[in-house]
mmCIF file of all heavy atoms in Angstrom:
data_model
loop_
_atom_site.group_PDB
_atom_site.id
_atom_site.type_symbol
_atom_site.label_atom_id
_atom_site.label_comp_id
_atom_site.label_asym_id
_atom_site.label_seq_id
_atom_site.Cartn_x
_atom_site.Cartn_y
_atom_site.Cartn_z
ATOM 1 N N ILE B 65 -34.159 -32.576 -22.917
ATOM 2 C CA ILE B 65 -33.451 -31.302 -22.731
ATOM 3 C C ILE B 65 -32.813 -30.878 -24.049
ATOM 4 O O ILE B 65 -32.860 -29.706 -24.439
ATOM 5 C CB ILE B 65 -32.401 -31.424 -21.600
ATOM 6 C CG1 ILE B 65 -33.102 -31.642 -20.254
ATOM 7 C CG2 ILE B 65 -31.531 -30.181 -21.535
ATOM 8 C CD1 ILE B 65 -32.170 -31.927 -19.085
ATOM 9 N N ASN B 66 -32.259 -31.878 -24.765
ATOM 10 C CA ASN B 66 -31.658 -31.604 -26.068
ATOM 11 C C ASN B 66 -32.655 -30.922 -26.993
ATOM 12 O O ASN B 66 -32.344 -29.886 -27.610
ATOM 13 C CB ASN B 66 -31.228 -32.940 -26.686
ATOM 14 C CG ASN B 66 -29.783 -32.909 -27.076
ATOM 15 O OD1 ASN B 66 -29.437 -32.195 -27.998
ATOM 16 N ND2 ASN B 66 -28.960 -33.641 -26.362
ATOM 17 N N GLU B 67 -33.842 -31.500 -27.085
ATOM 18 C CA GLU B 67 -34.883 -30.928 -27.948
ATOM 19 C C GLU B 67 -35.262 -29.531 -27.472
ATOM 20 O O GLU B 67 -35.383 -28.597 -28.264
ATOM 21 C CB GLU B 67 -36.128 -31.835 -27.939
ATOM 22 C CG GLU B 67 -35.914 -33.193 -28.582
ATOM 23 C CD GLU B 67 -35.333 -33.073 -29.990
ATOM 24 O OE1 GLU B 67 -35.869 -32.261 -30.783
ATOM 25 O OE2 GLU B 67 -34.338 -33.771 -30.283
ATOM 26 N N ALA B 68 -35.423 -29.412 -26.135
ATOM 27 C CA ALA B 68 -35.852 -28.135 -25.562
ATOM 28 C C ALA B 68 -34.828 -27.037 -25.818
ATOM 29 O O ALA B 68 -35.181 -25.894 -26.119
ATOM 30 C CB ALA B 68 -36.114 -28.295 -24.067
ATOM 31 N N VAL B 69 -33.531 -27.395 -25.692
ATOM 32 C CA VAL B 69 -32.477 -26.397 -25.917
ATOM 33 C C VAL B 69 -32.518 -25.933 -27.357
ATOM 34 O O VAL B 69 -32.444 -24.732 -27.659
ATOM 35 C CB VAL B 69 -31.084 -26.989 -25.576
ATOM 36 C CG1 VAL B 69 -29.973 -26.098 -26.095
ATOM 37 C CG2 VAL B 69 -30.936 -27.172 -24.077
ATOM 38 N N LYS B 70 -32.684 -26.894 -28.279
ATOM 39 C CA LYS B 70 -32.715 -26.537 -29.694
ATOM 40 C C LYS B 70 -33.899 -25.622 -30.000
ATOM 41 O O LYS B 70 -33.786 -24.678 -30.779
ATOM 42 C CB LYS B 70 -32.779 -27.798 -30.555
ATOM 43 C CG LYS B 70 -31.418 -28.461 -30.679
ATOM 44 C CD LYS B 70 -31.503 -29.729 -31.467
ATOM 45 C CE LYS B 70 -30.225 -30.539 -31.270
ATOM 46 N NZ LYS B 70 -30.425 -31.946 -31.645
ATOM 47 N N LYS B 71 -35.046 -25.927 -29.341
ATOM 48 C CA LYS B 71 -36.230 -25.107 -29.564
ATOM 49 C C LYS B 71 -36.010 -23.709 -28.968
ATOM 50 O O LYS B 71 -36.341 -22.699 -29.592
ATOM 51 C CB LYS B 71 -37.445 -25.781 -28.915
ATOM 52 C CG LYS B 71 -38.700 -25.663 -29.769
ATOM 53 C CD LYS B 71 -39.720 -26.721 -29.437
ATOM 54 C CE LYS B 71 -40.621 -26.320 -28.295
ATOM 55 N NZ LYS B 71 -41.511 -27.428 -27.871
ATOM 56 N N GLU B 72 -35.397 -23.671 -27.784
ATOM 57 C CA GLU B 72 -35.158 -22.401 -27.091
ATOM 58 C C GLU B 72 -34.334 -21.447 -27.964
ATOM 59 O O GLU B 72 -34.604 -20.263 -28.043
ATOM 60 C CB GLU B 72 -34.442 -22.676 -25.763
ATOM 61 C CG GLU B 72 -33.922 -21.456 -25.021
ATOM 62 C CD GLU B 72 -35.022 -20.644 -24.355
ATOM 63 O OE1 GLU B 72 -36.146 -21.170 -24.242
ATOM 64 O OE2 GLU B 72 -34.763 -19.482 -23.985
ATOM 65 N N TYR B 73 -33.299 -21.984 -28.632
ATOM 66 C CA TYR B 73 -32.426 -21.119 -29.421
ATOM 67 C C TYR B 73 -32.827 -21.088 -30.894
ATOM 68 O O TYR B 73 -32.078 -20.586 -31.732
ATOM 69 C CB TYR B 73 -30.972 -21.561 -29.278
ATOM 70 C CG TYR B 73 -30.442 -21.324 -27.880
ATOM 71 C CD1 TYR B 73 -30.037 -22.370 -27.089
ATOM 72 C CD2 TYR B 73 -30.377 -20.026 -27.376
ATOM 73 C CE1 TYR B 73 -29.573 -22.150 -25.798
ATOM 74 C CE2 TYR B 73 -29.921 -19.797 -26.095
ATOM 75 C CZ TYR B 73 -29.515 -20.858 -25.306
ATOM 76 O OH TYR B 73 -29.060 -20.634 -24.047
ATOM 77 N N GLY B 74 -33.995 -21.654 -31.221
ATOM 78 C CA GLY B 74 -34.537 -21.561 -32.568
ATOM 79 C C GLY B 74 -33.564 -21.985 -33.656
ATOM 80 O O GLY B 74 -33.376 -21.282 -34.642
ATOM 81 N N GLY B 75 -32.916 -23.125 -33.452
ATOM 82 C CA GLY B 75 -32.011 -23.631 -34.483
ATOM 83 C C GLY B 75 -30.677 -22.909 -34.541
ATOM 84 O O GLY B 75 -29.878 -23.144 -35.440
ATOM 85 N N LYS B 76 -30.435 -21.999 -33.614
ATOM 86 C CA LYS B 76 -29.148 -21.291 -33.621
ATOM 87 C C LYS B 76 -28.266 -21.745 -32.464
ATOM 88 O O LYS B 76 -27.545 -20.948 -31.853
ATOM 89 C CB LYS B 76 -29.388 -19.779 -33.554
ATOM 90 C CG LYS B 76 -29.979 -19.243 -34.831
ATOM 91 C CD LYS B 76 -29.956 -17.728 -34.848
ATOM 92 C CE LYS B 76 -30.390 -17.223 -36.214
ATOM 93 N NZ LYS B 76 -30.844 -15.827 -36.160
ATOM 94 N N VAL B 77 -28.318 -23.038 -32.186
ATOM 95 C CA VAL B 77 -27.543 -23.597 -31.080
ATOM 96 C C VAL B 77 -26.061 -23.331 -31.300
ATOM 97 O O VAL B 77 -25.321 -22.993 -30.382
ATOM 98 C CB VAL B 77 -27.819 -25.114 -30.969
ATOM 99 C CG1 VAL B 77 -26.903 -25.753 -29.944
ATOM 100 C CG2 VAL B 77 -29.265 -25.338 -30.582
ATOM 101 N N TRP B 78 -25.632 -23.455 -32.556
ATOM 102 C CA TRP B 78 -24.214 -23.304 -32.881
ATOM 103 C C TRP B 78 -23.687 -21.938 -32.457
ATOM 104 O O TRP B 78 -22.594 -21.801 -31.927
ATOM 105 C CB TRP B 78 -24.025 -23.523 -34.381
ATOM 106 C CG TRP B 78 -22.605 -23.742 -34.744
ATOM 107 C CD1 TRP B 78 -21.748 -22.816 -35.276
ATOM 108 C CD2 TRP B 78 -21.851 -24.943 -34.602
ATOM 109 N NE1 TRP B 78 -20.518 -23.369 -35.465
ATOM 110 C CE2 TRP B 78 -20.550 -24.679 -35.068
ATOM 111 C CE3 TRP B 78 -22.157 -26.215 -34.115
ATOM 112 C CZ2 TRP B 78 -19.546 -25.642 -35.059
ATOM 113 C CZ3 TRP B 78 -21.155 -27.173 -34.125
ATOM 114 C CH2 TRP B 78 -19.882 -26.885 -34.589
ATOM 115 N N GLU B 79 -24.516 -20.902 -32.673
ATOM 116 C CA GLU B 79 -24.075 -19.548 -32.314
ATOM 117 C C GLU B 79 -24.238 -19.298 -30.818
ATOM 118 O O GLU B 79 -23.457 -18.574 -30.215
ATOM 119 C CB GLU B 79 -24.890 -18.490 -33.085
ATOM 120 C CG GLU B 79 -24.556 -18.389 -34.567
ATOM 121 C CD GLU B 79 -25.243 -19.479 -35.397
ATOM 122 O OE1 GLU B 79 -26.096 -20.216 -34.835
ATOM 123 O OE2 GLU B 79 -24.901 -19.603 -36.581
ATOM 124 N N ALA B 80 -25.289 -19.906 -30.253
ATOM 125 C CA ALA B 80 -25.625 -19.567 -28.858
ATOM 126 C C ALA B 80 -24.712 -20.263 -27.853
ATOM 127 O O ALA B 80 -24.388 -19.699 -26.815
ATOM 128 C CB ALA B 80 -27.070 -19.942 -28.576
ATOM 129 N N LEU B 81 -24.277 -21.478 -28.174
ATOM 130 C CA LEU B 81 -23.505 -22.237 -27.196
ATOM 131 C C LEU B 81 -22.050 -22.355 -27.616
ATOM 132 O O LEU B 81 -21.698 -22.194 -28.774
ATOM 133 C CB LEU B 81 -24.096 -23.648 -27.033
ATOM 134 C CG LEU B 81 -25.504 -23.734 -26.474
ATOM 135 C CD1 LEU B 81 -25.929 -25.178 -26.408
ATOM 136 C CD2 LEU B 81 -25.571 -23.095 -25.099
ATOM 137 N N ASP B 82 -21.239 -22.668 -26.653
ATOM 138 C CA ASP B 82 -19.816 -22.818 -26.869
ATOM 139 C C ASP B 82 -19.462 -24.297 -26.707
ATOM 140 O O ASP B 82 -20.195 -25.045 -26.074
ATOM 141 C CB ASP B 82 -19.092 -22.004 -25.787
ATOM 142 C CG ASP B 82 -17.732 -21.566 -26.237
ATOM 143 O OD1 ASP B 82 -16.839 -22.413 -26.319
ATOM 144 O OD2 ASP B 82 -17.576 -20.366 -26.504
ATOM 145 N N SER B 83 -18.341 -24.696 -27.286
ATOM 146 C CA SER B 83 -17.970 -26.103 -27.118
ATOM 147 C C SER B 83 -17.023 -26.301 -25.941
ATOM 148 O O SER B 83 -16.759 -27.423 -25.532
ATOM 149 C CB SER B 83 -17.339 -26.638 -28.397
ATOM 150 O OG SER B 83 -16.170 -25.916 -28.676
#
Side-chain angles (χ1 to χ4, degrees):
Chain B
I65 294 174
N66 234 292
E67 293 307 312
V69 167
K70 281 177 194 161
K71 220 158 86 187
E72 171 74 14
Y73 292 117
K76 290 191 173 160
V77 173
W78 195 260
E79 288 80 8
L81 296 179
D82 206 288
S83 62

